[in-house]
Amino acid sequence: MATKIGMMDSAYFVGRSEILSWINSTLHLNLSKVEEACSGAVHCQLMDAAHPGMVPMHKVNFDAKSEYEMIQNFKVLQDVFNKLKITKHIEVSKLVKGRPLDNLEFMQWMKRYCDSVNGGVLQSYNALERRETSKGGKEASKKGNTSHSSAKGSTAASRPQVSQNARKNEASANSGNQSAHVSKPPSHGITAYDEQITTLKLSIDSLEKERDFYFAKLRDIEILCQSSEIENLPVVGAIRKILYAVDDDASVVAEAQVMLSAHQKETISHSSPISEVPSDEKLSLDTQKRKNIINLDVDVAGITTLSPRQRVTDASDVHCSGSPLMTY
């Protein structure tokens, strides 16, 4: 079962024309755009075609116009998913808005799932009969039949009729060809415009998705900064300054960096282990050091002026006193 399909699966590379052809041939409809199935009724009948009798078609509304009516159809579809234990998430809020990209992706998944059931073979499924029990189903069937009949009528009218006057037939054929040539350029131009509009809609949808993604990230950061544990930290204040900046100014980032550096300097000054010594104590310490240096110089000078006998006497005195520095 194709209940879980990755975004890089081949199912998401199926074109719009193939999707529309599959829907119209399976359900005998005449959809010209994938987003016309945004009401959810088409999805319900596709699931009914894959699993006959599983979908309560009398609850499906093919004439749904408002979002409330469309949501009711998707509720029916979700109930069917639950019965079949399908874990596919239905983004109803996006589908009911009729966005081409969202509806195309979900319909691509639907095709892949229906193809995976019984090999994609629908055994004697009567789409028109099943749709008649739904609200607005008869009107949808009439539209589909009208389109098919008009297509057949146009092909029949295009056949050349046998006439007694061959010249008139040739003249009418030539005039018909000329009118066809004249009418072709506008149709090609309209098709090109439709393709451009579809491309622009797809790009807008992708940009809106990217915008919503980054906005959600910024909102998460804002909520985190508002927590009571860290809201008073300097780094949180700097982040808020950047988040709440009105215009795109590079000075905002510089100001935030200044805030952090100022806090860092203040922290270092308070946490420094070296305490400053008062000036009076510094003077007394310097005086004591000078006295010690002077006394040491006097002692050295006295020792150098002693006689050898006096030096030996002093050494014997040190030895007698038990000093470990003297050895014999």
Side-chain angles (χ1 to χ4, degrees):
M1 292 296 178
T3 55
K4 293 183 178 179
I5 304 175
M7 289 302 298
M8 297 306 295
D9 194 274
S10 59
Y12 291 106
F13 293 93
V14 180
R16 292 172 179 271
S17 59
E18 185 177 350
I19 293 290
L20 290 172
S21 177
W22 169 67
I23 295 172
N24 293 331
S25 61
T26 303
L27 304 181
H28 300 288
L29 293 173
N30 186 30
L31 300 182
S32 59
K33 297 179 182 179
V34 179
E35 53 268 26
E36 291 179 7
C38 63
S39 65
V42 175
H43 302 86
C44 291
Q45 191 168 12
L46 288 173
M47 291 300 297
D48 186 68
H51 302 278
M54 183 63 68
V55 181
M57 293 299 294
H58 63 279
K59 295 183 179 180
V60 180
N61 185 4
F62 276 86
D63 196 27
K65 303 297 182 182
S66 63
E67 290 189 5
Y68 173 76
E69 295 174 333
M70 296 178 184
I71 291 173
Q72 296 301 318
N73 288 336
F74 281 107
K75 284 184 178 180
V76 175
L77 182 64
Q78 185 64 62
D79 292 338
V80 175
F81 278 16
N82 295 335
K83 291 178 182 178
L84 297 173
K85 296 181 180 180
I86 299 175
T87 59
K88 172 66 175 176
H89 175 65
I90 305 175
E91 296 182 348
V92 181
S93 60
K94 294 183 178 180
L95 294 175
V96 297
K97 294 185 181 302
R99 294 180 178 179
L101 184 59
D102 295 326
N103 282 273
L104 176 61
E105 289 180 357
F106 190 68
M107 194 59 74
Q108 287 170 338
W109 181 92
M110 289 289 298
K111 185 178 187 305
R112 176 61 180 273
Y113 177 80
C114 293
D115 291 342
S116 66
V117 178
N118 299 325
V121 179
L122 303 179
Q123 299 177 355
S124 65
Y125 179 73
N126 193 338
L128 300 177
E129 182 180 354
R130 289 290 294 167
R131 193 160 53 238
E132 286 182 356
T133 60
S134 304
K135 182 180 179 181
K138 293 182 180 180
E139 289 75 8
S141 300
K142 288 179 181 179
K143 291 180 181 179
N145 291 331
T146 303
S147 63
H148 288 296
S149 62
S150 62
K152 291 180 181 180
S154 62
T155 55
S158 63
R159 295 177 181 177
Q161 298 179 352
V162 178
S163 175
Q164 295 179 356
N165 194 345
R167 293 179 181 178
K168 290 182 179 180
N169 290 336
E170 291 178 359
S172 62
N174 292 329
S175 62
N177 290 331
Q178 290 177 359
S179 62
H181 285 299
V182 172
S183 61
K184 279 183 180 178
S187 63
H188 288 300
I190 294 172
T191 304
Y193 282 126
D194 290 338
E195 292 179 355
Q196 290 180 2
I197 291 171
T198 303
T199 304
L200 291 174
K201 286 182 178 180
L202 293 176
S203 63
I204 290 173
D205 289 337
S206 61
L207 290 174
E208 287 180 352
K209 284 185 176 181
E210 185 177 1
R211 179 201 63 188
D212 295 340
F213 174 77
Y214 287 109
F215 179 79
K217 293 293 183 184
L218 292 175
R219 177 58 182 158
D220 293 339
I221 294 173
E222 184 183 22
I223 293 173
L224 180 64
C225 292
Q226 291 175 353
S227 59
S228 58
E229 293 83 0
I230 63 172
E231 63 178 350
N232 295 324
L233 294 178
V235 65
V236 175
I239 293 173
R240 284 180 177 176
K241 190 173 187 63
I242 296 174
L243 282 177
Y244 299 147
V246 178
D247 52 357
D248 188 8
D249 191 0
S251 62
V252 177
V253 180
E255 291 176 2
Q257 292 176 350
V258 170
M259 291 172 58
L260 291 177
S261 60
H263 175 73
Q264 186 176 5
K265 290 179 180 178
E266 184 179 357
T267 304
I268 293 173
S269 63
H270 284 295
S271 61
S272 178
I274 302 174
S275 58
E276 295 184 358
V277 181
S279 57
D280 296 338
E281 294 183 3
K282 285 183 179 180
L283 292 174
S284 60
L285 288 174
D286 293 339
T287 305
Q288 186 65 30
K289 287 180 181 179
R290 291 174 183 173
K291 288 182 180 179
N292 293 334
I293 293 171
I294 293 171
N295 292 334
L296 181 61
D297 294 339
V298 172
D299 293 339
V300 171
I303 291 171
T304 54
T305 56
L306 290 177
S307 62
R309 182 178 296 177
Q310 289 175 342
R311 293 179 187 175
V312 173
T313 303
D314 293 338
S316 60
D317 292 339
V318 173
H319 176 68
C320 294
S321 62
S323 175
L325 299 177
M326 295 298 296
T327 56
Y328 292 95

